[in-house]
């Protein structure tokens, strides 16, 4: 399988109160066509910033200070902005968190879809763009009549479908979805989850899913990356990472999820994520880690490969203590 | 949801769902046929043309919060649970029905001695929350407090932690020299420690979890008898949610308070609620002990809610979630005829379209407003 996207040693920096913070720090991964990666972690762990970096929309004064992002073999961080805009609009689409709430209330769904097409495909005729919009709506199981409606006439679930239709309209190679189900009701969440699953199967969609919801990750991802304080602390196949987490953070995070079955235990991670202005010495998770040893405070653990794809940044990952 | 009409208050027997540890009639709060309608703003002409159509946000809710229990009020957005919360909190007047609060032993020390609206109901002294006014509202608010969903917007950003906790104390006439001790005590209890470090901080310098603990501290500082928590963990990170749930459980144990826990999240409710009521489009559809409702749901809506909860199981990668529910929630402007769930229900038959099901008792303490309750509970396919 071909690599459709590679991120190499990416570092995104923001100036904050006189110092520089690394919101994304030495992150590397690659993605094959048709597969999906779930990136998860607590709020502030850098998962949305990573998505924005791939799209080249890091708000100033933040910037990519290190690393490369290769899409279709080309480094999109190094090319001119017009060229990279083209690639990103065409090849990579992003569904922003809460995008369904920022549809323009003054325009019909059709107007807003046409705007997207015109911005990227100047030579498309009106009838062609109309077909494109209708086809896209069909992909998300909405009828063409929805095109003539205004956002306030649609339910939350329908708006989210419209947003997904817009992202799919230009037939992107990669779809990045930032919290595609948050702020929806549970049943609608499950319906949207099913839609994304269906799109993965029927269109062979390559998906990067950004979410704090470990249940959603399990539904939609082949690979999982767990972020903590700007870094990947564990990366691997869904089955190995969920089945036998090698990082205590992953283990504790999975245990913190409230479930409807199994033993009813209250489990949580004490403390809070570090302030990135002054991250702790050694392992960044050490102040919250119940398995901390002196080595964890002295030495920053590097991501280490186990087997063919499982990577972990923990000094004690092989001790089987959790 | 059991038929808790006025007369049942005098002779409530097996009909009333009761936790084994709590003797019957020991209710802390009870609503009787509680309704609240809203009317949209309309022009004069359309007002003359036809009578206004109400939005039936709460449409006949009978629920009982027992002493020292945590009752989970579960439902999706727009089901009316927030309206129920606001009605019970006394922030909104009902369109109909009653809210009875059992005041219990009242310390006669305060100025709050006369309660003009309280009535004798059998041998129990109850407050009619819907009729409260003036001093008695103040008394009710000292007894029943609120924890809000959003710990980021429910504090005045210009107040320090001390100021936030002092305000309810001064409003309710606690002497100035006592306040400091109470504030320090509650901070200690909610583990915002070391206390001296937190007293002069502003809410924006606190983390989400700390803010929500401050919200709990504010709700408890007057030592209330009941706490109403509206989605208290839904804005928090997964990693710290259980901390807040644990704190709520601990306070219930220590202070022996009753609690209404309104949430859309069944799995959070499972962790701390003794009993659950499930709400759909303004009405309760199921009521029972938490384990019963989750393990053997007897209403098709509860069944769908449970099916929709995502579980972090890698095996789920290969499934399409089987959702036994059709379409989307209708508007409360046009509540369907008969059973209000019937247009979305895979079990629906002719009777469901015509006749609204009453709460049907299917087990001790377990009620479902569904004509097919027994079938649903036994897992018989539609």
């Amino acid at each position: 399988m071909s690599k459709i996207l590679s991120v190499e040693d990416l570092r995104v920096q923001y100036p904050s109160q006189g110092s520089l913070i690394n919101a994304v720090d030495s992150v590397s991964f690659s993605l094959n066509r048709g597969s999906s990666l779930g990136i998860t972690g607590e709020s502030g762990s850098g998962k949305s910033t990573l998505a924005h970096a791939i799209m080249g929309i890091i708000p100033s004064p933040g910037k990519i200070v290190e690393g490369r992002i290769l899409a279709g073999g080309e480094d999109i961080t190094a090319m001119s902005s017009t060229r990279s805009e083209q690639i990103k609009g065409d090849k990579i689409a992003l569904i922003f968190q809460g995008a369904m709430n920022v549809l323009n209330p003054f325009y019909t769904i059709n107007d807003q879809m046409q705007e997207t097409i015109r911005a990227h495909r100047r030579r498309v005729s009106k009838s062609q763009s109309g077909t494109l919009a209708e086809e896209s709506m069909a992909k998300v199981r909405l009828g063409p009549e929805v095109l003539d409606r205004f956002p306030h006439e649609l339910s939350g679930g329908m708006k989210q479908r419209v947003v997904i239709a817009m992202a799919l309209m230009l037939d992107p190679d990669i779809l990045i979805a930032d919290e595609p189900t948050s702020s929806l009701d549970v049943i609608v969440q499950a319906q949207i989850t099913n839609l994304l699953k269906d799109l993965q199967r029927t269109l062979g969609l390559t998906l990067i899913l950004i979410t704090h919801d470990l249940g959603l990750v399990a539904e939609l991802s082949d690979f999982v990356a767990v972020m903590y304080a700007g870094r990947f602390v564990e990366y691997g196949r869904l089955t190995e990472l969920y089945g036998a987490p090698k990082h205590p953070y992953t283990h504790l995070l999975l245990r913190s999820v409230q479930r409807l079955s199994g033993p009813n235990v209250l489990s949580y991670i004490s403390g809070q994520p570090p302030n990135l202005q002054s991250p702790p010495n050694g392992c960044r998770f050490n102040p919250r880690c119940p398995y901390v040893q002196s080595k964890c405070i002295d030495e920053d653990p590097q991501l280490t490969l186990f087997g063919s794809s499982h990577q972990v940044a923990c000094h004690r990952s092989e001790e089987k203590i959790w | 949801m059991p038929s808790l009409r006025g007369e049942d208050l005098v002779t409530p027997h097996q009909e009333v769902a009761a936790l084994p540890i709590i003797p019957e009639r020991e209710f802390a709060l009870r609503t009787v046929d509680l309704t609240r309608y809203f009317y949209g703003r309309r022009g004069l002409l359309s007002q003359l043309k036809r009578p206004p159509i109400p939005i039936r946000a709460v449409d006949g809710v009978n629920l009982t919060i027992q002493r020292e229990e945590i009752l989970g009020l579960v439902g999706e957005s727009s089901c009316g649970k927030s309206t129920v919360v606001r009605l019970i909190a006394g922030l909104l007047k009902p369109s109909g029905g009653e809210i009875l609060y059992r005041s219990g032993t009242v310390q006669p020390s305060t100025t709050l001695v006369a309660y003009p609206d309280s009535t004798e109901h059998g041998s129990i002294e109850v407050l009619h929350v819907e009729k409260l006014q003036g001093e008695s509202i103040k008394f009710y608010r000292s007894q029943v407090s609120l924890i809000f969903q959003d710990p980021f917007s429910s504090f005045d950003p210009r107040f320090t932690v001390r100021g936030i906790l002092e305000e309810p104390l001064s409003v309710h006439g606690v002497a100035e020299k006592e306040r400091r001790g109470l504030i320090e005590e509650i901070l200690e209890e909610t583990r915002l420690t070391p206390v001296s470090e937190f007293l002069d901080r502003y809410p924006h310098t606190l983390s989400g979890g700390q803010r929500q603990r401050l919200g709990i501290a504010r709700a408890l500082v007057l030592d209330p008898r009941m706490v109403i928590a509206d989605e208290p963990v839904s804005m928090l990170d997964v990693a710290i949610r259980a901390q807040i749930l644990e704190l709520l459980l601990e306070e219930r144990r220590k202070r022996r308070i009753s609690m209404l826990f309104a949430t859309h999240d069944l799995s959070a409710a499972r962790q701390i609620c003794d009993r659950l009521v499930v709400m759909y489009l303004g009405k309760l559809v199921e009521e029972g002990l938490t384990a019963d409702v989750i393990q053997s749901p007897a209403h098709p809506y509860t069944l769908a809610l449970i099916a929709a909860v995502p579980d972090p199981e890698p095996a789920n990668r290969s499934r399409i979630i089987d959702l036994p529910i059709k379409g989307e929630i209708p508007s409360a402007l046009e509540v369907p005829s008969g059973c209000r769930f019937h247009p979305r229900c895979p079990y629906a038959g002719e009777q469901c379209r015509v006749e609204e099901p009453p709460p049907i008792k299917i087990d001790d303490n377990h009620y479902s407003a569904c004509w097919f309750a027994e079938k649903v509970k036994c897992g018989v396919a539609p």
Side-chain angles (χ1 to χ4, degrees), chain B residues 14-80:
Chain B
Q14 66 277 26
E15 275 291 275
V16 180
L19 276 179
I21 41 159
I22 298 161
E24 280 168 19
R25 304 189 63 158
E26 285 282 295
F27 72 90
L29 186 137
R30 173 172 284 179
T31 71
V32 185
D33 284 335
L34 187 63
T35 57
R36 171 69 204 206
Y37 294 171
F38 292 98
Y39 295 89
R41 212 184 284 194
R42 301 159 74 231
L44 182 63
L45 203 63
S46 63
Q47 279 188 44
L48 291 171
K49 271 189 198 152
R50 55 188 165 82
I53 306 161
I55 298 165
R56 290 149 73 181
V58 175
D59 202 10
V61 164
N62 298 302
L63 65 78
T64 302
I65 306 168
Q66 291 169 3
R67 283 250 153 134
E68 294 170 44
E69 89 165 338
I70 302 181
L71 178 72
L73 173 60
V74 182
E76 294 179 282
S77 52
S78 80
C79 76

Side-chain angles (χ1 to χ4, degrees), chain B residues 218-233:
Chain B
R218 177 174 62 183
L220 294 176
V221 73
L222 284 170
D223 197 22
R225 300 319 311 144
M226 183 185 295
V227 168
I228 301 168
D230 190 5
E231 300 272 16
V233 296

Side-chain angles (χ1 to χ4, degrees), chain A residues 252-253 255-258 265-271 285 288 290, chain B residues 191 213 237-247 250 271:
Chain A
L252 293 170
L253 204 55
R255 272 197 21 179
S256 305
V257 179
Q258 284 121 31
V265 279
L266 283 168
S267 172
Y268 54 84
I269 306 176
S270 51
F285 185 57
R288 302 172 80 186
Chain B
R191 286 190 286 284
R213 273 184 273 161
D237 264 311
V238 180
I240 57 166
R241 269 183 201 177
Q243 263 182 40
I244 297 298
L245 297 177
E246 188 181 70
L247 180 61
E250 199 180 293
Q271 299 214 284

